Amino acid sequence: MNVSLKPIQEQVIVITGASSGIGLATARAAARKGAKVVLASENKEELAKIVQQIQNEGGQAIYVVADVGRQEDMQQIATKAIERFGRFDTWVNNAGVSIYGRLEEVTEADNRRLFDTNFWGVVSGSLVAAKHLKKRGGAIINLGSELSDLSIPLQGMYSASKHAVKGFTDALRMELEEDEAPVSVTLIKPAGINTPYPEHAKNYTDQELTLPPPVYEPEEVANAILYAATHPKRDIYVGGASKLMSTLNKVVPGVVDWVNQNFMTEMQLKDKPARHKEGGLHKPGKGGKVHGTYEGHTQKSLYTRATINPVISGVVLAAASAAAIALIGSNRSKHGNGQYTRRKSV
């Protein structure tokens, strides 16, 4: 069934995890383009500030304090959106958190909380959105990761949750298509993004956390999300590195495993003592910031821009992939002698 999506300026867009990072970047970008936005997170103070900022700039926005791990909270988001704007047209399941720690060290309680947010939040949000959108049409956009297609050490349960998000999203898409529902379902797969993600993660190590390169700007993900809100797409990779690693994992999985097991742990740790141990796993993380504190080079995604703008030539795609490979290789050399001190308890 052909799905017809409205222009951004005619849409009401719901965004979870909207008080920082990708969610905040998307909310601001959507509001500037004329969309009415419904922001949801657990951080009431920051949400109120963000909504006021959007309104001061002439935009229309409301916020809903919600824990995405609670199904009733997700229903409340939909109810508030309909009460205020009469409908919603796009629902973005963005909220997420991570844990940096070896699988045998992380507690079951922490793992379950991670899945409540990363997986069950997506499930509840998608089903609430689908019930509304099946009657009128629209888009459901779920945030996966390059780790929806492969896994890395130290973030094993996060990788598992993003695999689960992919499986659920694909099944939901098929069932809606089977019902001939006028709903687009898109999975966004970002590479490493310079948001406060490491600071919001729970940290089982003794070292400060970081992201493995290459790392992209959060505005690149926001652009991809807003593109998916107006153009039915199955998947969008944000960052040539995301597409590259996904493809390599399908073609030469053993090689990807070898690279990750030999280099990926130290590439996620700084040579500094840990400061942010608890993060935002069990309580709201510090909000209000789109960008994180990544100390290396960050970049725009030529690959993603080419994906959503076919006019850009294949030469640009090749250049983006080559740049991603070069960055990964240089960082391996830099961190080849890194040390990882394991903690036995938190």
Side-chain angles (χ1 to χ4, degrees), residues 11-338:
Q11 289 201 29
V12 177
I13 302 179
V14 173
I15 305 168
T16 69
S19 59
S20 68
I22 291 168
L24 177 53
T26 305
R28 286 175 172 168
R32 290 186 186 119
K33 291 178 179 290
K36 302 175 180 68
V37 291
V38 180
L39 285 64
S41 86
E42 293 184 274
N43 195 326
K44 180 178 180 178
E45 182 179 353
E46 289 300 336
L47 285 174
K49 292 178 183 178
I50 295 162
V51 166
Q52 188 61 57
Q53 290 168 356
I54 290 173
Q55 293 174 343
N56 289 345
E57 294 175 3
Q60 297 187 59
I62 64 169
Y63 70 85
V64 183
V65 179
D67 176 353
V68 299
R70 293 167 52 89
Q71 187 177 37
E72 55 267 39
D73 284 15
M74 301 302 273
Q75 183 58 58
Q76 182 72 357
I77 296 170
T79 299
K80 292 293 185 182
I82 294 168
E83 286 177 353
R84 175 63 177 84
F85 298 117
R87 69 184 197 282
F88 56 85
D89 305 289
T90 293
W91 185 292
V92 182
N93 287 304
N94 164 74
V97 71
S98 190
I99 299 170
Y100 283 61
R102 292 174 61 87
L103 293 171
E104 61 187 2
E105 297 174 350
V106 179
T107 67
E108 181 178 343
D110 283 350
N111 283 332
R112 287 185 178 274
R113 177 57 183 169
L114 182 145
F115 256 80
D116 282 345
T117 300
N118 291 11
F119 176 67
W120 288 111
V122 170
V123 171
S124 297
S126 295
L127 296 179
V128 166
K131 184 177 180 180
H132 176 76
L133 296 175
K134 284 175 75 171
K135 302 173 184 176
R136 58 181 306 114
I140 297 171
I141 302 171
N142 293 338
L143 266 291
S145 167
E146 63 183 336
L147 300 183
S148 294
D149 295 335
L150 63 144
S151 296
I152 59 174
L154 213 61
Q155 290 192 75
M157 200 56 68
Y158 177 84
S159 301
S161 73
K162 292 302 183 178
H163 276 64
V165 165
K166 179 184 183 300
F168 167 78
T169 302
D170 290 346
L172 175 66
R173 184 187 303 108
M174 287 185 279
E175 291 187 3
L176 289 172
E177 289 178 354
E178 186 178 45
D179 291 341
E180 297 187 347
V183 183
S184 170
V185 180
T186 301
L187 183 66
I188 307 289
K189 299 179 182 179
I193 305 297
N194 181 29
T195 70
Y197 172 94
E199 294 95 318
H200 291 175
K202 183 157 185 180
N203 185 2
Y204 274 75
T205 81
D206 289 319
Q207 294 166 245
E208 196 72 1
L209 306 176
T210 188
L211 296 165
V215 174
Y216 301 85
E217 293 294 347
E219 289 82 3
E220 300 298 298
V221 191
N223 290 339
I225 290 170
L226 295 184
Y227 181 85
T230 55
H231 299 79
K233 293 282 289 185
R234 187 181 192 279
D235 303 283
I236 299 178
Y237 292 88
V238 180
S242 178
K243 178 62 175 178
L244 174 66
M245 295 306 293
S246 176
T247 301
L248 288 175
N249 195 58
K250 293 173 183 175
V251 178
V252 284
V255 172
V256 173
D257 285 353
W258 183 88
V259 170
N260 286 340
Q261 71 192 36
N262 281 280
F263 300 103
M264 192 55 67
T265 293
E266 55 259 39
M267 289 170 70
Q268 297 178 79
L269 300 170
K270 297 181 182 180
D271 189 19
K272 299 178 181 178
R275 294 179 298 161
H276 307 285
K277 298 290 288 184
E278 293 302 315
L281 184 64
H282 293 284
K283 61 181 180 180
K286 186 177 180 181
K289 294 183 178 180
V290 169
H291 299 90
T293 57
Y294 183 70
E295 296 173 353
H297 172 72
T298 61
Q299 61 194 72
K300 298 176 181 178
S301 175
L302 296 178
Y303 171 85
T304 305
R305 294 183 180 208
T307 299
I308 63 180
N309 183 358
V311 173
I312 298 178
S313 70
V315 174
V316 173
L317 298 183
S321 296
I325 294 171
L327 274 170
I328 293 171
S330 74
N331 201 74
R332 280 190 219 142
S333 300
K334 186 188 300 183
H335 294 281
N337 297 321

